[in-house]
Amino acid sequence: MKNQKIADLLFPHIHMSAEEVFAKYPKRNVQDGQIVTRFAPSPTGFVHIGNFFQAFISYNLAKNSNGIYFLRFEDTDKKREKKEAKQILFDALSYYGIKYDEYQTPDGKDVGDYGPYVQSQRGQLYQVFAKKLVAEGKAFPCFCKKTEGKEDVLKQRETKWLENDACEYDPCRDLSYEEVKAHIDNGDSFAIRLRTKNKGDERIVFNDLIKGDIEAKANAKDVILLKSDGIPPYPFAHAVDDTLMGTTLVVRGEEYIASTPAHIEIFEALGFPLVQYCHNPLICKIGEEGNRRKISKRYDPEANMTYYIEQGYPKETILEYLLNMINSGFEIWRKNNPDLHWSEFKFKPTEITAVAPLFDIVKFNDISKNIVAKQSGQELYNNWLAWAKEYDSGLATALAAEPNKYIALCAMDRDGAAKPRKDIYNYEMMKDYFKYIFERPQVEFEDADKANAKEFLTAYAENYKEASTNEEWFENVKTLAGSLGYATDNKLYKANPENYKGNVAKACEFIRLAITGQKNSPTLFTIMQILGDEEVKARLNK
Ligand code: GLU
């Protein structure tokens, strides 16, 4: 009775009962095996690869089980929330093609029957359940003022909160109705705390689909359920939302394992069946001292999902790389099924790696090279141009002015090639990689080569005629080289190198250097075709 009176005092505006709420959020009509899961980001304006990893895992699990996937914004921490943050999240997810069955549009319209899909709009719902717990004596109001400065907090905890080492009971847990009323009459704000039933020596076991059974110390702390603004911090919101919204599987980072015992006690207090957990490992990097550490927003540009967009990586690169991290079987699957879309690769929650995956940029770029190599010249050109329009307007103008030239460049050693060249991993690198197309190179011949290079290139420029095939091009070079004292047969050259100025390869090297400024390049014949007669002659003469 006392508790009911306190509950009414604290929540005079809440008239709905828990049953009435459940009537509005009926059990979902899903079959065994269909997974209902969600991505529940806190919109901070930064999409961390770890969060995206989680989103991608849950998206796949829902999709592969013909289940339901929804997006819920966890915007209860107003201090952290940034204005544009929701839009940034939407943009990043849609860029990567992650689709939701249920969500709230950026202009505030709920799609789906279990909304609002934004926590800050669910205050009433949380309060119904908080009121219920207070009425049942399982929760209580706490009027402790937020103390300034850390020292005060510690002092307060030492003297008041800690009954023994093992548990943290709040000083307000046993206030009388009169005391509560005096506070309310005084206009004091309050938080709602769980009255933990534990003493600090209990242990629990809970199941995780990736890690199996986990044994841990039971919660023994009067954790906060509602803050003084009536909005819950993560644990209570998680229990209420994932229950009402019919989540069957919670995929979240393994940093949540430590607080799961508190979540479990909240589910129990509410009388809700516990949801199934799937705590994914966190993506790591090798740190400066050779140590393995969590990939971090502070130190690693790769932690930010916009990095990949800015660098112009194909979307598939990041998705396929993450699939590699999720399940090591993906690599073999990809080898055996080079032409299937990544989404054909299916995995179960129990098949997700339990070991923290290591982010390795070399492997990442290798995967990307394979993906870029599959693009036709036209596709690569389109992607390059689209990237340039965002990040390099000068380049975009150049690409758009001569589409045929740049499509040919993109198609070089790629379109129709039995073994397409695997050299490009993102669009950002292409301008530099093909710099000899954009500007005449600075060429330096080695001292020993200078005289020969001058003689050969002068003759080549004088006789230059555009060839129509690579073979014809090579024949022309060979004939000229032969007439100038180069070996056209490598065996003869190897037997008596002193009889020659070099072999045909040496002559090709002179041309390559004059044209590209580099000793290595894709097919020279094609590059020269792209540059055109006039430019080729100018470079040879230079
Ligand atoms: N808002 C939490 C986070 O971003 C959600 C965790 C969860 O998925 O339950 O970490």
Side-chain angles (χ1 to χ4, degrees), residues 19 42 73 76 106 114 146 148 181 229 261 289 351 408 437 447 456-457 462 500 507 509 525 536:
E19 291 70 31
S42 307
F73 278 127
T76 59
Y114 292 80
K146 243 201 208 135
E148 308 282 336
K181 183 153 189 328
D229 59 3
E289 284 102 45
E351 294 164 353
I437 295 291
D447 280 343
F456 179 82
L457 292 172
E462 268 167 25
Y500 303 96
E509 183 189 304
F525 159 69
V536 165

Side-chain angles (χ1 to χ4, degrees), residues 38 40-42 51 54 72 74 234 238 242 250-252 255-256:
R38 80 296 189 276
S42 307
N51 289 117
Q54 200 180 306
R72 179 175 72 223
E74 306 214 322
Y234 174 79
H238 153 52
D242 282 314
V250 167
V251 179
R252 61 185 184 186
E255 74 270 29
Y256 282 96

Side-chain angles (χ1 to χ4, degrees), residues 18 129-139 193-198 219 223 225 236 239-240 261-274:
F129 290 98
K131 183 174 184 178
K132 179 171 183 277
L133 291 184
V134 173
E136 292 170 348
K138 293 174 180 169
R193 286 181 182 274
L194 176 76
R195 187 191 309 277
T196 178
K197 59 181 175 32
N198 294 322
N219 173 61
V223 292
L225 303 182
F236 192 59
V240 171
H263 307 164
I264 291 176
E265 198 184 355
I266 294 172
F267 270 86
E268 280 171 6
L270 287 163
F272 296 165
L274 186 63

Side-chain angles (χ1 to χ4, degrees), residues 189-204:
S189 62
F190 59 87
I192 300 293
R193 286 181 182 274
L194 176 76
R195 187 191 309 277
T196 178
K197 59 181 175 32
N198 294 322
K199 306 219 156 34
D201 50 11
E202 298 85 350
R203 296 195 70 78
I204 54 165

